[in-house]
Amino acid sequence: MKTLSLLSLLACTCFATATHAAEPAPVASGAACITLSPDQQIVRAGADRDILLRNADQHYIVRFKDSCTSAAQTADLHFDTPERDGQLCGGGVSSLRTKSQKCAISEVELITPKQFGARARARR
């Protein structure tokens, strides 16, 4: 009977280990990526430390590692993520490029549409 219990315990342990190994490794929150949609709205008024991004039906605060004053001053801006076209990542992987500045993105934070609207109105 002890052998049967020991074998059952061993089988459960092996199954749990195999199941855990099959799960994808969690991505650090700062380096998490989103897929960019062609349907975007960027609110850059008052941008220095962050901008607001509506990406299709999702809403985000995109925070910069350092000050990015040119984001509020130019209409010519785009996201750049080396080796990950169409993605926007935090953790310094992506950057916002303007005519005069390259601003590293530290975090891409998901917010609600209501929060997006309130923050956008506050920036006017």
Side-chain angles (χ1 to χ4, degrees), residues 35-42 53-56 79:
T35 299
L36 292 170
S37 164
D39 178 22
Q40 294 178 7
Q41 175 188 2
I42 296 175
L53 170 67
R54 181 189 53 76
N55 187 53
F79 296 111

Side-chain angles (χ1 to χ4, degrees), residues 46-87:
D48 176 43
R49 304 303 268 165
D50 59 47
I51 58 170
L52 301 174
L53 170 67
R54 181 189 53 76
N55 187 53
D57 63 348
Q58 300 292 309
H59 300 79
Y60 301 91
I61 298 174
V62 179
R63 291 192 169 86
F64 305 122
K65 181 180 175 201
D66 299 307
S67 176
C68 187
T69 55
S70 66
Q73 300 168 353
T74 183
D76 183 22
L77 47 87
H78 68 276
F79 296 111
D80 182 36
T81 306
E83 299 179 20
R84 294 185 189 180
D85 286 342
Q87 297 281 303

Side-chain angles (χ1 to χ4, degrees), residues 6-20:
L6 184 59
L7 287 174
S8 296
L9 181 61
L10 182 61
C12 288
T13 303
C14 289
F15 177 75
T17 302
T19 302
H20 181 69

Side-chain angles (χ1 to χ4, degrees), residues 107-119:
E107 183 181 14
V108 180
E109 177 187 348
L110 182 65
I111 59 174
T112 67
K114 187 175 181 177
Q115 291 170 317
F116 181 89
R119 288 175 182 260

